[in-house]
Each structure stands twice: as C-alpha cells, then as structure tokens.
Amino acid sequence: MRAVTQDVFGEPQQVLGVSELERPEPGPGEVRLRVVLSPIHNHDLWTARGTYGFKPSLPARAGTEAVAVIDALGEGVEGLELGQRVATGGTFGAWAEFVTATAAGLIPVPDALPDEAAAQLVAMPFSAISLLDSLGLQEGDWLVQNAANGAVGRMVAQLGAARGINVVGLVRRAAGVEELREQGIERVVATDADGWRDEVAAITGGAPIRVGIESVGGKAAGDVLSLLAEGGELVAFGAMAAPVMEIASGDVIFKQATVRGFWGSKVSGAMGADDKRRLFGELLQRIGSGELTLPVAAIFPLERVAEAAEASFTAGRVGKVLLKP
C-alpha cells in the first residue's frame, strides 16, 4: 500500500513523501480501515517538524484523522461490520491507503453525513465543543478568542452561538472580518486597526468577558487577557505565531485571573463515555441543522502531500485541506 512517511523531522513540505509499505493486519480488538479522506491539521504539521507533544520514532508515518471503510476485523471485535463507514480521530498513520485502528475508538458515520464532513468530524470539531463545554459558561455569557478565523475559532463561534453564548473574535487583519462574515460569523474585530479595544467594548456593551481563548502566543496572549473581567480565565489552546505567551503580571494579579492550558487529546482521553456520546450527538445535530459548517479548501492525492502541506499554510484559507488515497 501507499502511505505518507518521513525519515527526518523538518518542514512538512520538505520531509513528507510517499512510500510503499506492507498492508497492515489488524490485531485483537482492532480493525483495518480503507481510508477515504484524511484532513491535514496543524498538529499533524507540528508532528512532522518534531515540535508537537507527541514525537514519533523515525522513520514515521503521518496523519491522525480520517473517514474510512472497515476492510478487515481483528479477533474479538463486535458491533462493527465489514464495509461500515466510520470516523477516527486518534489513529496515527492515517495518511495512507490502509491503517489499523482500535475498534473501540471508532465512530459510526450516519449515511446523511458526506465524506468531506465526516473526515474532519473528530479532531477539530470535538476539540472545539469539548473546549466550549469545559468553560462553564451559561447562555448570555461572553467570551473572547483570537485566531477567530482558524478552524477551531470558526467552530467555537458557531457552536457558541448555537448554545446562546456570546463570542467576540479577534483576527490580525481586516480581511479576516469579511471572511468570517461571509460564513455568517459576526462580532469580529481586527487588531491591526487603531481603537480595536473600543470596538470590542462597543460590541459587548460593557458586559464582563469571563473567558479568553488564546491560540496565537506572544503579545496576542496579553491582548486577550487584558479584555477579561475580574476573575476571568485565560485558556491557552495553541501557539500559532509564538511558543511563549507575553502577559502582564498586573493583569494576572489585579484581575485575579486564572491561566490554564487545554490539550484536546488529553481531555478526550480522560472523558467519560456518556459525555463523549452527548457531545458527538450535539455535533451531528449542529452539522445536520447547518449551525456548524465544515468547509473544505482543497483535496489532494497522497503523492502531492508536499503541495497539500503548503496549501495548509495559506493565509486566509477557508476550510480544511484533505488528502485522498
């Protein structure tokens, strides 16, 4: 079979390529999946660089999420069938024609959900809804987030609106405001304009902002913290531009603010089965109603993985880049 591999860590466009490998056989409790579509996430690209929380041994496979069809059943697998369409969000090596996965972690995909949406159902949407669910916000509460035009930022805005939570989005350029408006997402402020803080205050009407979601790093983290009310919470979700957050001690002290991190894979691993079912059920409902949209920017064959990685870095990109074996 063909699979994306790398022999060294480095820039994804330079180190990722396609190799011929043996088709894997499922072990006890596993299934073999024939991959239909697999998305490229930021954490996949950071893994290729060797800078993510998970660092594979080299030579390594790549990719973590896919929509696929069950191709073979391992010993002891029950409740799944050959030919069944499923989604997986934690299967390393998903950028391939075939991959083995733990049967218990697979999510059956409803017939009404297209492959393009099912391929990106788990990692980003589930991280977004898990993050939102962890904040303890009630209907009518306010939160602010930067990287609002990123994949998770868009989802948090849509899911927040569906739950009655007020979300203010920060983007670094004015064009991002219009991009989000085209997707039906309002209350977005560009921080490259003078008086952007006043614009945030006008949007909230002076209401306290209880939570800030920080995904950029550097000075942008301090900007988010500065907007929070007393007793507010700053949640670090990503580090798109810088690995260090620059926050003012005064804001932490005098606001009596809390700063914490959120890593989706850790949260998901510790989450109970009932909560997972509840949140996945809400995701499917929101996607079906159109309240949550999962656009696709482009689809590339495996052989063009370097181009696909480059496309994933495109500023202003709307939607995920997918790989198709």
Side-chain angles (χ1 to χ4, degrees):
M1 70 166 190
R2 294 171 302 130
V4 174
T5 61
Q6 64 182 107
D7 295 320
V8 297
F9 293 117
E11 287 303 310
Q13 310 93 306
Q14 299 170 8
V15 302
L16 295 174
V18 174
S19 301
E20 289 285 339
L21 303 177
E22 290 292 324
R23 185 178 301 187
E25 294 298 329
E30 294 183 335
V31 302
R32 183 172 65 208
L33 302 176
R34 176 176 58 80
V35 177
V36 177
L37 287 171
S38 182
I40 296 178
H41 297 305
N42 285 341
H43 63 253
D44 296 320
L45 302 176
W46 293 338
T47 300
R49 288 171 171 156
T51 58
Y52 193 52
F54 162 70
K55 191 171 183 178
S57 300
L58 297 173
R61 300 273 294 275
T64 49
E65 181 172 13
V67 62
V69 174
I70 295 176
D71 180 70
L73 300 173
E75 180 184 348
V77 174
E78 298 179 352
L80 296 171
E81 301 177 353
L82 292 175
Q84 185 176 2
R85 195 168 59 124
V86 294
T88 176
T91 300
F92 186 63
W95 295 351
E97 290 183 297
F98 296 91
V99 67
T100 56
T102 302
L106 299 176
I107 300 163
V109 175
D111 292 341
L113 193 66
D115 288 337
E116 291 79 3
Q120 47 180 318
L121 175 66
V122 183
M124 295 298 102
F126 193 71
S127 288
I129 200 168
S130 299
L131 171 61
L132 195 61
D133 205 59
S134 76
L135 302 178
L137 296 175
Q138 304 299 316
E139 186 173 347
D141 283 342
W142 287 86
L143 75 83
V144 62
Q145 62 171 345
N146 58 20
N149 53 344
V152 170
R154 294 169 190 264
M155 293 173 197
V156 166
Q158 291 182 323
L159 291 168
R163 287 185 167 201
I165 296 168
N166 299 303
V167 180
V168 178
L170 304 180
V171 295
R172 292 186 288 179
R173 53 195 177 84
V177 178
E178 291 304 317
E179 291 168 5
L180 290 171
R181 185 169 289 135
E182 290 174 4
Q183 200 177 341
I185 298 172
E186 301 287 346
R187 295 173 174 163
V188 182
V189 176
T191 58
D192 64 353
D194 293 336
W196 67 268
R197 294 174 191 275
D198 294 334
E199 191 174 348
V200 171
I203 289 173
T204 64
I209 300 177
R210 290 187 52 198
V211 175
I213 301 173
E214 204 295 296
S215 300
V216 178
K219 179 179 176 295
D223 288 340
V224 173
L225 177 59
S226 71
L227 298 172
L228 301 186
E230 183 175 336
E233 181 178 54
L234 180 69
V235 181
F237 183 84
M240 184 176 63
V244 176
M245 296 191 299
E246 300 175 23
I247 59 177
S249 298
D251 280 337
V252 177
I253 295 168
F254 301 123
K255 291 177 182 286
Q256 299 189 78
T258 301
V259 181
R260 70 173 174 92
F262 183 96
W263 188 10
S265 62
K266 290 288 187 181
V267 173
S268 177
M271 187 180 293
D274 289 344
D275 280 335
K276 282 186 178 179
R277 280 192 291 270
R278 172 177 61 86
L279 294 180
F280 272 117
E282 182 178 348
L283 280 179
L284 292 171
Q285 175 194 344
R286 303 297 188 196
I287 294 169
S289 68
E291 293 170 295
L292 177 64
T293 57
L294 302 176
V296 172
I299 299 177
F300 290 84
L302 287 183
E303 288 77 11
R304 294 172 60 192
V305 64
E307 293 176 62
E310 185 67 42
S312 292
F313 290 121
T314 302
R317 169 179 52 83
V318 177
K320 278 290 174 185
V321 175
L322 307 181
L323 290 171
K324 183 177 180 65

